[in-house]
Amino acid sequence: MYRLLVFLFVLITAACRNDSAPLSEDPAPAAPPASPRDAKPVPKFDRDSAYAYVEQQVNFGPRVVNTDAHRQTKQWLVEKLEAFGAEVIKQDFEARAFDGTNLSSTNIIGRYAPELPDRILLAAHWDTRPFADSDLEDDPNAIVNGADDGASGVGVLLEVARQLGLHTPDIGVDIVLLDAEDYGKPSNTNSYALGAQYYAKNAPTPKPRFGILLDMVGARDATFLVEGYSEKYAKDVVRKVWQLGEQMGYGNYYVNARGGTVIDDHFFINTIAGIPTIDIINLQEDGDHRFPAHWHTGDDNMDVIDKRTLRAVGQVVLAAVFREAAGTL
Ligand code: AHN
Ligand code: ZN
């Protein structure tokens, strides 16, 4: 019995010694790749979901400021962003249009990780133009449904918002749906982008470090030429996003050519708020018209929308957010 106990004692102490043997000969544990922060996978952008969000907006009717369709759309957008987990701020304001009309307007801001100081701005306008005043429209009764001019950018951002609710990047995101963009008079560029002008003066703090505006991002075979103010105020962001677009296989859309300047929402966000912001906008390479043929005509309806374009924009925007969060954009 005694011998058995001694045997067991020796056996146990030997085992313990063995367990506590130095591990110096073990290989070092595999370190993660030395990127500044751990990269989270980029969520998959669902183009069918984005398309449905574009269609739903169009189904409300033209989202002209001061109309019922505009009010209904506002409520729906707030509900969607809240359902997708954003903290929503309704930025109500009265804007004076070029013709003296008082525009009851609302910027809708969906904030993700509002506690984080480092933030990215994603924006699009949700109102539509009250006049189909393009040279290419000869029907005086035509109305702008704004499937591309308005709804496409918002539809993409709603799907981005849905993904951000499901997969959280390590960076704050402000999704800003701007109002009263398209009530302008062509001879007076300050009459456009009234919501952006209001946002730029009243941006919730901490302000985003940079921004991406989406405008007319839904049409078949869209070409996103590099817009002039984007290059002037946010050169690095343009370069990185266009490079990313190309890398991800969307080089047909992200064309490396200059497309001229556009006084769009981003112009005021750049010049008033000082947030470097690019505009992803469908610009034509040649011809008399810089915008697509359906622009400000009765033809801007669901027929021009292509899910592949929506995906090329939404997937690149999501990748830009997650890469920026990981320090790899
Ligand atoms: C101007 O025509 C001054 N800016 C074009 C901005 C715009 C209108 N984007 C969509 N609709
Ligand atoms: Zn427009």
Side-chain angles (χ1 to χ4, degrees), residues 125 127-129 144 149-150 181-182 192 215-216 295-296 300:
H125 76 88
D127 64 307
T128 58
R129 186 161 184 78
V144 177
D149 190 359
E181 189 275 339
D182 225 346
Y192 286 87
D215 194 5
M216 299 188 271
W295 181 70
H296 294 183
D300 185 359

Side-chain angles (χ1 to χ4, degrees), residues 242-288:
W242 259 245
Q243 203 170 52
L244 185 57
E246 166 127 74
Q247 268 176 29
M248 291 172 66
Y250 301 122
N252 290 353
Y253 297 99
Y254 296 85
V255 178
N256 273 309
R258 291 202 167 95
T261 56
V262 180
I263 302 281
D264 206 347
D265 290 321
H266 74 311
F267 176 78
F268 299 101
I269 296 172
N270 277 301
T271 57
I272 300 174
I275 303 169
T277 301
I278 65 167
D279 193 5
I280 302 182
I281 181 168
N282 188 356
L283 296 171
Q284 308 307 297
E285 202 133 17
D286 41 41
D288 299 337

Side-chain angles (χ1 to χ4, degrees), residues 20-298:
S20 60
L23 295 166
S24 58
E25 317 237 314
D26 284 357
S35 65
R37 282 173 256 179
D38 278 355
K40 287 184 178 172
V42 180
K44 188 171 163 341
F45 182 89
D46 185 334
R47 62 186 190 170
D48 297 319
S49 172
Y51 184 90
Y53 298 144
V54 176
E55 197 167 41
Q56 176 64 65
Q57 291 171 78
V58 172
N59 287 345
F60 280 117
R63 281 79 65 212
V64 172
V65 186
N66 296 346
T67 66
D68 276 338
H70 183 266
R71 282 182 280 271
Q72 284 165 20
T73 305
K74 168 183 166 180
Q75 196 187 333
W76 179 76
L77 291 171
V78 169
E79 281 168 15
K80 289 316 254 188
L81 288 174
E82 281 174 348
F84 300 153
E87 179 189 288
V88 178
I89 297 174
K90 283 173 270 183
Q91 210 171 51
D92 291 322
F93 61 99
E94 295 286 323
R96 179 63 66 97
F98 70 91
D99 59 1
T101 307
N102 219 26
L103 305 175
S104 298
S105 315
T106 306
N107 294 330
I108 302 161
I109 307 176
R111 306 188 81 218
Y112 287 88
E115 74 286 357
L116 293 184
D118 193 24
R119 317 192 59 74
I120 301 177
L121 163 69
L122 304 177
H125 76 88
W126 70 273
D127 64 307
T128 58
R129 186 161 184 78
F131 339 99
D133 56 348
S134 163
D135 296 347
L136 299 178
E137 181 57 77
D138 35 41
D139 177 359
N141 298 317
I143 49 162
V144 177
N145 289 292
D148 195 23
D149 190 359
S152 66
V154 172
V156 167
L157 290 187
L158 285 179
E159 172 58 9
V160 167
R162 190 174 75 88
Q163 293 301 333
L164 294 181
L166 297 169
H167 314 274
T168 317
D170 296 322
I171 197 162
V173 178
D174 290 348
I175 292 187
V176 181
L177 308 181
L178 297 160
D179 203 356
E181 189 275 339
D182 225 346
Y183 213 110
K185 177 166 90 168
S187 60
N188 175 7
T189 50
N190 279 350
S191 63
Y192 286 87
L194 300 176
Q197 296 186 47
Y198 186 86
Y199 168 79
K201 292 170 187 151
N202 302 280
T205 53
K207 279 192 202 177
R209 188 155 47 78
F210 70 89
I212 302 175
L213 173 69
L214 309 181
D215 194 5
M216 299 188 271
V217 293
R220 185 169 305 107
D221 299 325
T223 48
F224 307 128
L225 306 192
V226 176
E227 184 277 329
Y229 293 121
S230 308
E231 202 173 28
K232 175 171 179 176
Y233 294 110
K235 201 177 177 37
D236 277 9
V237 184
V238 170
R239 185 177 47 78
K240 289 174 180 180
V241 170
W242 259 245
Q243 203 170 52
L244 185 57
E246 166 127 74
Q247 268 176 29
M248 291 172 66
Y250 301 122
N252 290 353
Y253 297 99
Y254 296 85
V255 178
N256 273 309
R258 291 202 167 95
T261 56
V262 180
I263 302 281
D264 206 347
D265 290 321
H266 74 311
F267 176 78
F268 299 101
I269 296 172
N270 277 301
T271 57
I272 300 174
I275 303 169
T277 301
I278 65 167
D279 193 5
I280 302 182
I281 181 168
N282 188 356
L283 296 171
Q284 308 307 297
E285 202 133 17
D286 41 41
D288 299 337
H289 295 88
R290 53 206 308 241
F291 297 124
H294 54 266
W295 181 70
H296 294 183
T297 73

